Amino acid sequence: MFKHSQLESVNAWVAHPAHAAMPLHARIQRAIRQLIVDGALGRGKPLPASRALAKSLGVSRDTIEASYAQLHAEGFIERRVGSGSFVAQMTEFTPGHRLSRRDALLRNRAPKLSKRGAAIFRSGGVCELLSPRPFAHGVPETRTFPLQLWERLERQVRKEFGAQTLLHGDPQGTEPLRRAIADYVNLERGARATADRVLVLTSSQQAISLCANLLLDPGDRIFIEDPAYYGARKAFGAAGLECVPVQVDQQGIIVGQITAQPHRAKAVFLTPSHQFPTGATLALDRRLALIEWATRHQTWIIEDDYDSEFHYAGKPTACVQGLDPHDRTIYIGTFTKSLFPGLRIGYAVLPPPLVKPMTVARTLLDGHTAPMTQLTLARFIEGGHFGAHVRTMRGVYAERLDMLAGLVGTHLSDFVETCVPIGGLQMPCVLTCDIAEHTAVDAARRVGIELLGLSALHHSGDGKAGFLMGFAAYTPLEIEIAVKKLADALRAVMIQ
């Protein structure tokens, strides 16, 4: 029989809440296995008969037999007919080996990463809330998404393509979706796209990372807006690039600062349709000057058109890619903002020479994007449902932006000045009181409100203090309640 302490150890393992999802025989098997590994049951030692152990543990004999059978299959015990079960004679392993103090300290120390790994870790991930709360930025309304329509289109795809959708997909993306994307960006964004130039990806972030790693070498410089989208800066930093900040004004990135030092960088990253986070639109003459610079010096323009569908004042400006006849521009788009984040589909419209290298590179990352989802999205776009959804949400978001701006003016005017954008899913606010930015963000978080500080988006971290307020995913009532709650939280900080 087991010693009393060994029996208690098995009972404790079996009863532990962390193991509750396992079948009972698996819990008993794991508990005995651990006793063997720890040396509590030495080599060659007999195990209790299945009937006796079943009685001691209060379980059926079949349960113990199933546990012993698995231990035997894994090589932990030997079963001898007429003699019973014994701990196996493992010659290459010493049960119960204890780590020295030095070994224990080394095991608990942070792992030694490669230089590239350390750069990726330092850059940090782009953390998104799984369940967004006001005023998390960049999150679209998902509660009113036409799910029944989407499910109907998915059923059509399954019926037409059958098991083909369960196989590996084309790394470049399914042809129907690439064609639908090309038609869409040509019509709505003034792009110069064809299906064979479109690469379907999981996100715009993946597209940015591909550009950083395929087009530039570690140590190369890239011009980047200041302030800038944090995900891009992190991707470029992780690739070992040096980001050269270029100031932004009301007409977008100041291209004169680039053309005055043309050889300082091999590429430029920008968000020209709706600069993140200021909301500025890059002026036409600056777009043309940027294209001329890229052509003359054979550099790249990486254009992130992340939420241009949501433009609330007049028609959006044509994308830079559509104005570039020399194919120096990589156009990046995503359906995360226009449809829903869980879709995980973005894309890039590439210059022809980059299509094959980029496609091969993405196969090393994740192979391909799920064919079922791609084909469903293609039908959603081709059937006119995407355009209809965007038009509907554009009206909803415009109303929510107006409401947020009005409520901030009413309840937060003592603390911030609004910068009402003409598009996008978030509104910048600049602090005008004596509250530090991090203090305001922390105070908001304590009452369940999420804000993104503005100063950290600047290269030096010393930009104007303030925060972004996302509005697209929240109903008017949710916005009103959250604004009043934020006002109370900031007021409490002021009187401390």
Side-chain angles (χ1 to χ4, degrees), residues 394-423:
R394 189 182 293 138
V396 170
Y397 296 164
E399 291 176 2
R400 292 181 180 182
L401 172 59
D402 288 343
M403 182 174 187
L404 176 62
L407 287 167
V408 170
T410 300
H411 299 284
L412 294 172
S413 58
D414 292 339
F415 309 104
V416 300
E417 178 182 320
T418 60
C419 306
V420 183
I422 60 171

Side-chain angles (χ1 to χ4, degrees), residues 186-442:
N186 287 342
L187 177 64
E188 297 293 337
R189 301 298 299 118
R192 298 168 57 253
T194 54
D196 59 343
R197 295 179 62 173
V198 175
L199 173 61
V200 178
L201 300 162
T202 56
S203 63
S204 56
Q205 188 69 27
Q206 186 182 43
I208 293 169
S209 294
L210 279 172
C211 290
N213 286 283
L214 255 72
L215 303 181
L216 298 101
D217 291 313
D220 282 348
R221 292 170 172 172
I222 181 169
F223 289 122
I224 188 169
E225 298 165 325
D226 190 25
Y229 169 53
Y230 52 88
R233 184 181 288 134
K234 290 174 185 294
F236 298 142
L241 309 184
E242 180 186 343
C243 293
V244 179
V246 181
Q247 290 178 308
V248 172
D249 62 18
Q250 293 182 338
Q251 293 186 315
I253 193 170
I254 302 176
V255 176
Q257 294 183 8
I258 294 174
T259 55
Q261 46 183 351
H263 301 292
R264 282 202 66 195
K266 294 185 177 180
V268 58
F269 172 84
L270 66 159
T271 51
S273 296
H274 180 224
Q275 202 278 329
F276 187 92
T278 67
T281 298
L282 186 63
L284 177 60
D285 59 341
R286 294 187 181 184
R287 293 172 186 244
L288 297 174
L290 204 56
I291 292 168
E292 183 183 1
W293 165 79
T295 304
R296 180 181 299 130
H297 300 285
Q298 291 297 285
T299 51
W300 297 107
I301 300 170
I302 304 171
E303 177 181 15
D304 185 3
D305 205 23
Y306 64 102
D307 67 357
S308 63
E309 288 89 358
F310 304 115
H311 198 85
Y312 310 127
K315 292 285 288 183
T317 308
C319 64
V320 174
Q321 192 269 355
L323 299 171
D324 178 7
H326 309 291
D327 288 330
R328 301 306 305 176
T329 304
I330 296 143
Y331 177 88
I332 296 171
T334 178
F335 294 99
T336 296
K337 312 296 185 190
S338 52
L339 293 179
F340 53 93
L343 184 59
R344 306 315 301 150
I345 292 184
Y347 58 91
V349 179
L350 302 169
L354 288 183
V355 173
K356 188 171 182 179
M358 285 279 194
T359 302
V360 170
R362 80 77 47 95
T363 64
L364 296 176
L365 300 178
D366 60 355
H368 61 91
T369 304
M372 175 78 76
T373 310
Q374 290 188 67
L375 293 168
T376 304
L377 176 57
R379 297 209 169 186
F380 193 76
I381 298 172
E382 290 165 352
H385 309 299
F386 177 71
H389 179 71
V390 166
R391 286 191 295 273
T392 298
M393 301 320 296
R394 189 182 293 138
V396 170
Y397 296 164
E399 291 176 2
R400 292 181 180 182
L401 172 59
D402 288 343
M403 182 174 187
L404 176 62
L407 287 167
V408 170
T410 300
H411 299 284
L412 294 172
S413 58
D414 292 339
F415 309 104
V416 300
E417 178 182 320
T418 60
C419 306
V420 183
I422 60 171
L425 308 179
Q426 54 273 326
M427 180 178 75
C429 294
V430 177
L431 282 164
T432 55
C433 59
D434 293 331
I435 300 177
E437 180 182 285
H438 69 89
T439 303
V441 171
D442 289 345

Side-chain angles (χ1 to χ4, degrees), residues 113 116-125 238:
L113 302 176
R116 186 183 300 106
I120 292 172
F121 182 63
R122 282 195 305 271
S123 73

Side-chain angles (χ1 to χ4, degrees), residues 170-183:
D170 183 341
Q172 190 178 343
T174 64
E175 198 276 336
L177 180 56
R178 289 189 284 112
R179 185 178 62 247
I181 289 172
D183 290 345

Side-chain angles (χ1 to χ4, degrees), residues 141-147 389 393 400:
E141 173 61 75
T142 57
R143 289 169 289 190
T144 59
F145 182 79
L147 266 177
H389 179 71
M393 301 320 296
R400 292 181 180 182

Side-chain angles (χ1 to χ4, degrees), residues 116-137:
R116 186 183 300 106
I120 292 172
F121 182 63
R122 282 195 305 271
S123 73
V126 180
C127 181
E128 308 286 359
L129 294 172
L130 295 181
S131 298
R133 58 191 183 187
F135 292 98
H137 69 284

